[in-house]
Amino acid sequence: MGGAAAASTAEANISYFLLYFHGKDSWSGSADMAFQSCHSTLLASYAVLLFVLTAPANTMDDRSVWNDILKEAPPIQYSTLSGPSFTNTTETTVTVVSGTTAMLPCGIRNLHNYTVSWVRGRDIRLLTTKSVTYTSDSRFVSVNPAGGQQWILKIHYVRKTDAGSYLCQVSTTPPITHTVNLTVQEAVATVQPSREVYVQSGSRLEVVCQVQGCPPPAFLAWCREGQPVATPKALEFQVTNNNVTTPVSRLSLARSHATPTDSGTYTCTSTCTQPLNVTVHVLKGEELAAMQHHNTTSPLRLSTSLACYLIASATLLLLTRS
């Protein structure tokens, strides 16, 4: 085939490709997506090839013409040719306190037109796809802040039973998955010195309520018969054990000179624990002494009664044998 004929055939083929690309109204399928992402680059390449086949021979020796052509060609965007991938290649662990909101992160680059779903690991239950929740439990919500790379699964009012693995899945073929492990800690409330407090009238009364594991502020409060009790400001601090930092909140119920009117049932409340009741007994001197005497003599009476019972049983056994 002569040079003119070859050039004519090549020009016809190139024109066909140009018409194909300009005539596409919609794109579908992974192959078309690849062509779409480098559309401008292909057009520039065909334009250069067309110039080579149709330009006069003396023009091909002019390097300045080549430079001008290459300057007009857009740079190849290699990132658009890559498929989706996770920004974190290792499993992620998130630790939260029961009753708070858990936020499970999943960073994805080059998502293109693929979709992101969250699946619960223990039962392979589909929770969300894009921003749509597919479970009847409305506590699960998927968000994509500002349309960026982060896809976050929010679990409101997280429970101890929510602990486990969650799968962030991208709808490639085959799908790619990133695992996020959720650990749920329960806040614990305790009182000191005990749930039953005895104190002599006129002496100092102090009961401390402590909540461990509740994200600050825990908003501790003492109540009596549903009414708030004026107490000093709660003290908050951090405790670190085995590289795990736990918030601790403390609140005192204090009276410098307790009176019998201070007796009653008090309740320690917080934002993340069940109410905890404490019974306070403010007794007069003789009442407290009598109670202490009763407590110290009761074990002795019990021991004496038990000893008498054992002796009587042994005597009866001997009599029956004889």
Side-chain angles (χ1 to χ4, degrees):
M1 181 181 294
S8 178
T9 302
E11 181 178 355
N13 292 334
I14 293 168
S15 299
Y16 169 76
F17 277 105
L18 292 175
L19 289 173
Y20 171 76
F21 278 107
H22 281 296
K24 287 289 285 183
D25 293 328
S26 60
W27 301 87
S28 61
S30 58
D32 282 349
M33 284 301 300
F35 279 120
Q36 183 187 20
S37 64
C38 58
H39 181 195
S40 58
T41 303
L42 289 173
L43 290 179
S45 300
Y46 288 136
V48 172
L49 181 58
L50 181 61
F51 176 82
V52 171
L53 294 174
T54 58
N58 58 351
T59 307
M60 300 300 296
D61 296 331
D62 190 351
R63 295 190 177 184
S64 62
V65 176
W66 279 104
N67 293 333
D68 292 340
I69 293 173
L70 294 177
K71 286 180 182 179
E72 296 298 328
I76 297 176
Q77 302 295 328
Y78 289 100
S79 61
T80 63
L81 303 179
S82 303
S85 61
F86 297 108
T87 58
N88 190 348
T89 57
T90 59
E91 290 188 2
T92 303
T93 300
V94 175
T95 302
V96 297
V97 175
S98 177
T100 61
T101 298
M103 302 182 67
L104 311 186
C106 181
I108 307 171
R109 60 171 70 92
N110 300 322
L111 182 60
H112 302 307
N113 66 331
Y114 295 101
T115 58
V116 179
S117 301
W118 281 96
V119 178
R120 186 165 53 199
R122 70 169 182 264
D123 53 5
I124 316 299
R125 176 71 178 273
L126 177 63
L127 301 174
T128 65
T129 295
K130 292 186 176 180
S131 59
V132 180
T133 300
Y134 280 90
T135 175
S136 58
D137 192 340
S138 59
R139 297 180 304 121
F140 294 89
V141 179
S142 177
V143 295
N144 176 222
Q149 293 184 344
Q150 285 295 330
W151 288 81
I152 299 174
L153 177 65
K154 288 186 176 182
I155 308 176
H156 297 286
Y157 308 105
V158 68
R159 305 164 184 165
K160 189 72 173 177
T161 55
D162 292 325
S165 63
Y166 291 82
L167 311 179
C168 174
Q169 193 172 86
V170 180
S171 62
T172 56
T173 305
I176 58 174
T177 301
H178 175 67
T179 302
V180 181
N181 296 307
L182 175 63
T183 302
V184 181
Q185 297 178 345
E186 288 189 297
V188 179
T190 57
V191 291
Q192 299 171 355
S194 66
R195 299 282 296 274
E196 195 91 11
V197 178
Y198 295 88
V199 64
Q200 183 176 346
S201 179
S203 62
R204 178 176 175 81
L205 165 67
E206 184 172 10
V207 183
V208 177
C209 178
Q210 178 171 295
V211 175
Q212 182 172 338
C214 185
F219 295 114
L220 270 66
W222 282 106
C223 296
R224 183 180 180 183
E225 298 179 357
Q227 299 298 320
V229 178
T231 53
K233 186 178 179 181
L235 174 65
E236 297 176 354
F237 55 95
Q238 305 285 337
V239 173
T240 301
N241 186 18
N242 296 329
N243 295 325
V244 177
T245 301
T246 304
V248 176
S249 299
R250 301 184 66 181
L251 182 64
S252 296
L253 171 67
R255 299 287 185 269
S256 57
H257 300 283
T259 65
T261 58
D262 292 320
S263 298
T265 300
Y266 295 82
T267 303
C268 175
T269 63
S270 74
T271 54
C272 59
T273 58
Q274 295 294 325
L276 199 60
N277 293 331
V278 177
T279 303
V280 174
H281 304 272
V282 180
L283 306 176
K284 296 180 180 180
E286 58 273 15
E287 294 174 336
L288 185 60
M291 186 197 70
Q292 291 175 343
H293 176 72
H294 175 76
N295 290 339
T296 55
T297 57
S298 293
L300 178 62
R301 290 177 181 177
L302 179 62
S303 300
T304 303
S305 301
L306 180 61
C308 293
Y309 173 78
L310 293 176
I311 292 174
S313 299
T315 305
L316 182 61
L317 181 63
L318 290 174
L319 290 175
T320 54
R321 288 185 175 182
S322 60

